[in-house]
Amino acid sequence: MGVSGIADLPLHGGHVPPWLYSRMVKLSGLIAELLVDKHGIKDTIRLFSNPLFFQAFNNIIGMDWDSSGSTTITTAALKEALSKKDVGIRVVGGKGVYALNAPAEINELSRTWDVDVDSLKFVSRLSAKIDNTALQDGYRLYHHAMLVGSDGTWTVIQQGLNEKIRYARRYHIWMENDLVNEPHTGIVGVKGNHALNMVSRASGDARNAVLDIVHQDPNKVVRDWAVIKAMMKGNTTILTYLGREPPKYYNPYLSGSFRPYLASLNEDALRQARNVNDFKDLLLIRGLGPSTMLALALIAELIYRDPVDWEDPANIDPRRYAFALGGKDGSPYPVNKEVYDTVIDIVQAIVDRARRDSGLTIYLRHLAKVARQLNLPTDLVRPTPP
């Protein structure tokens, strides 16, 4: 994306006051309507897949730039706003228990739209496994939302929390990215020292190795895992098996916040995984969670010598529009109700003008077509400059 930096998203308590949230809903809907009118459905959803745009949108509606609510409140306000407008975009899922409703809400879309429900539900589930199992950075997912278009376009916006350091992290996935090889358009959060990133381009060989590993006899995989556990205990005989010294890339696993001893193998999941065709299928095996994926990654790297990317991928720091209307908690300054209402009135007037101009253009095009059919001068129906 050509951007870099860090955005701190500390976990904030409390609630958005009703007077502010209702305005957020109104302004969100108006901006979304203008975006669809100008860019169309797909490109509007693509904008929200960009974490810089999403953060700017969050800031412009008055949510704090430095809060975990910049994800949860913004998507909730947008979800409510779009449920009341016929612009061809809906938001499904949300925070906590609302994330679990995503499949049912996707089913509801098929009542009015001709969309591939099964494909959307597959993507919803896979996205959660990507940011919870394939990417392990110390943040537990608690928010999962999808923007879905009537044309089948989608983007996923997820957020995880690290209860120890009291920070959140937001993940953006866009439909045209390879979902197992750099699926993210950006990750917003405090950059850490290490992370297991099996969806990094640098982990491509390791992904292939993991597939080869799970296709083996599970008993062989269990024996390989015993070798890795012995290494982590400092067994010199095992270290000699790998060479006189441990590989240089082994050292980070033993220090800092990354703890490889949390890994373990779910043997039932291994047996289910023997017939998987690709890494997507592997991620969706029931019971194959973060600890098993971590164990498989360690086997791939330390025994089969296929390197894994352990670099934390967080990379975004967007704050530019924080001064538009202020923030919920007064950062950078308190929201002014009168100013907010004036902004809503102005944007509403722009939307009304866009609707009026669009209707007039369609009407004039129709008149011009009729004029051509009747061999009348078409300049009689040309729009005059405002």
Side-chain angles (χ1 to χ4, degrees), residues 4 56 84 89 132 153 155 175 189 219 242 269-270 282 284 302 335:
S4 64
K84 302 172 183 177
I89 300 177
N132 207 45
T153 302
T155 189
M175 61 177 289
N219 293 324
L242 290 175
L270 280 181
L282 179 64
L284 294 175
L302 299 179
V335 175

Side-chain angles (χ1 to χ4, degrees), residues 349-371:
I350 295 172
V351 170
D352 292 343
R353 174 64 185 270
R355 288 175 183 163
R356 187 167 59 250
D357 290 349
S358 176
L360 177 60
T361 299
I362 293 172
Y363 177 66
L364 290 173
R365 285 176 181 169
H366 175 71
L367 287 181
K369 181 179 179 181
V370 172

Side-chain angles (χ1 to χ4, degrees), residues 18 33 90 116 127 134 163 213 221 250 288 307 327 329:
E33 194 169 350
R90 289 285 186 272
D116 187 341
S127 298
E163 295 175 336
I213 291 167
V221 183
Y250 177 64
L288 200 152
D329 294 337

Side-chain angles (χ1 to χ4, degrees), residues 281-345:
D281 293 338
L282 179 64
L283 285 176
L284 294 175
I285 291 292
R286 193 170 299 278
L288 200 152
S291 60
T292 297
M293 180 57 69
L294 177 55
L296 292 171
L298 289 169
I299 293 172
E301 182 161 87
L302 299 179
I303 292 182
Y304 295 93
R305 303 300 182 90
D306 287 305
V308 172
D309 188 353
W310 301 96
E311 180 73 21
D312 190 328
N315 64 344
I316 303 296
D317 182 17
R319 307 178 186 183
R320 180 173 299 176
Y321 296 94
F323 289 87
L325 290 168
K328 170 181 71 72
D329 294 337
S331 175
Y333 57 83
V335 175
N336 184 297
K337 294 181 183 179
E338 290 73 20
V339 172
Y340 206 124
D341 288 340
T342 300
V343 170
I344 289 176
D345 291 341

